[in-house]
Amino acid sequence: MQDNLLLLYLSLLVLLLAGAGFFLFRQIWKTRSKENRISKLQKLAKNKEATAKDYYELASLYLDKKLYVQATKILQQALKFKDIEPENRALIYNAMGYAYFTQEQSDLAIRQYKEAIKLYPEYVVALNNLANAYEQKKLIAQAIEVYEEALQYEPENKTAKRQLERLNKRFVKEPKTEEKTSKE
């Protein structure tokens, strides 16, 4: 009986170690794949063979790695291409806004988000990001207005709904109801 219990514990330990090993191997594989992709994209950029899409992908990988300054420089390179569709150019501006926002450069972030929205007015992610940047700068009225605009394009947008509800509860005061007194 004690041998069976020991065998069970050892089996569980082996299964646990095998599972941990699998997840560790998977994480290493993902990281290596990303690093290889970064290397290939850097090489394309260095040889002036990269497309705007390549620059955007490289910048996205840099953003994932929290290399915001490098991402911003790469996104600026992507914007130099003239043949980018407005929706794709808006993606680049939004990503650049995010890079600036994470560096606590709200004014630059706001400028980039506005450029994205100018190119693609119904770009809800950029609208949410712009409203968030306004919140950070304590421009609550503008944030509320932009969240409301996002909800016009996407009424079920969870981010805009949640943030708008939070802002309205916190900053917008309910109108006072006047009690009518009647004289009898």
Side-chain angles (χ1 to χ4, degrees):
M1 167 110 171
Q2 204 168 15
D3 289 339
N4 288 339
L5 194 56
L6 183 60
L7 186 61
L8 178 66
Y9 286 142
L10 285 174
S11 299
L12 286 174
L13 180 62
V14 167
L15 279 172
L16 184 65
L17 288 173
F22 170 76
F23 287 112
L24 181 63
F25 176 77
R26 194 171 132 227
Q27 189 62 36
I28 290 170
W29 184 267
K30 279 183 179 180
T31 302
R32 270 203 126 154
S33 295
K34 279 185 181 181
E35 291 300 323
N36 286 338
R37 188 65 186 150
I38 287 172
S39 180
K40 287 177 186 176
L41 291 168
Q42 285 173 331
K43 190 180 224 179
L44 285 174
K46 184 179 178 185
N47 295 335
K48 307 283 188 217
E49 298 171 1
T51 64
K53 184 179 177 182
D54 293 332
Y55 280 110
Y56 179 76
E57 184 181 352
L58 180 58
S60 295
L61 290 167
Y62 281 162
L63 289 173
D64 285 346
K65 292 180 70 161
K66 298 180 180 9
L67 300 172
Y68 303 118
V69 173
Q70 294 90 327
T72 303
K73 290 176 183 175
I74 294 297
L75 290 165
Q76 289 169 345
Q77 291 294 316
L79 286 172
K80 291 181 181 179
F81 286 82
K82 302 295 181 208
D83 60 342
I84 306 171
E85 292 180 16
E87 289 85 6
N88 291 334
R89 190 172 288 278
L91 290 172
I92 296 168
Y93 277 114
N94 183 64
M96 197 177 321
Y98 174 76
Y100 284 128
F101 183 80
T102 57
Q103 296 174 73
E104 298 180 7
Q105 297 179 10
S106 297
D107 291 331
L108 290 172
I110 288 169
R111 190 176 313 146
Q112 303 309 312
Y113 294 141
K114 283 182 174 182
E115 280 297 317
I117 295 163
K118 189 185 330 176
L119 292 166
Y120 183 27
E122 56 275 353
Y123 188 12
V124 175
V125 173
L127 287 165
N128 284 340
N129 289 341
L130 175 60
N132 191 30
Y134 280 145
E135 276 188 75
Q136 186 179 39
K137 288 197 54 99
K138 308 286 189 244
L139 300 171
I140 304 306
Q142 290 93 325
I144 289 172
E145 184 179 318
V146 175
Y147 282 130
E148 288 172 344
E149 186 179 346
L151 288 172
Q152 288 175 0
Y153 292 114
E154 191 179 301
E156 296 305 312
N157 183 291
K158 290 179 183 177
T159 301
K161 274 183 162 180
R162 182 180 63 244
Q163 294 298 93
L164 189 58
E165 185 177 301
R166 183 181 60 77
L167 290 174
N168 280 328
K169 280 182 183 175
R170 191 168 173 200
F171 294 103
V172 178
K173 295 179 180 165
E174 304 267 336
K176 293 181 182 178
T177 56
E178 294 181 20
E179 293 180 20
K180 294 182 181 178
T181 57
S182 59
K183 295 183 180 178
E184 293 182 17

